[in-house]
Amino acid sequence: MMRMKKETDLLIKGLLIAGLGLCILLGPQFMADPAFRSIVADSYLVGWFALLLGAVFIAQFGARRWKQSRQDKQLR
């Protein structure tokens, strides 16, 4: 039970961080204030890092689930 919660938390963290990265990368296209737009646009490296980190968390969640499903199949 606790293991499932840790895996689910990993997925949630990955989705939130990746979503934040996408917002940072795509946000300047939808902003009206030029000063604020340039500030957010200049932080594109943070956006890419967040997107990459979120993708790693999501991949780690998938790898753990895949490994667990293989172990479950071997036990049957």
Side-chain angles (χ1 to χ4, degrees):
M1 183 75 172
M2 188 65 152
R3 181 180 195 144
M4 180 72 82
K5 183 179 180 336
K6 286 183 180 180
E7 290 179 356
T8 305
D9 286 348
L10 192 64
L11 177 64
I12 292 170
K13 287 177 192 176
L15 290 173
L16 288 175
I17 293 172
L20 181 64
L22 281 175
C23 288
I24 291 171
L25 291 173
L26 298 176
Q29 297 176 6
F30 302 104
M31 293 181 183
D33 185 21
F36 193 60
R37 181 186 313 169
S38 69
I39 291 171
V40 176
D42 288 342
S43 64
Y44 69 94
L45 288 176
V46 175
W48 281 113
F49 178 74
L51 188 61
L52 179 64
L53 185 64
V56 168
F57 282 156
I58 294 168
Q60 190 176 19
F61 168 79
R64 287 182 181 180
R65 291 287 295 239
W66 181 70
K67 183 179 176 183
Q68 184 65 37
S69 69
R70 288 193 61 193
Q71 288 177 352
D72 290 345
K73 286 181 183 179
Q74 289 178 353
L75 293 176
R76 291 181 190 181

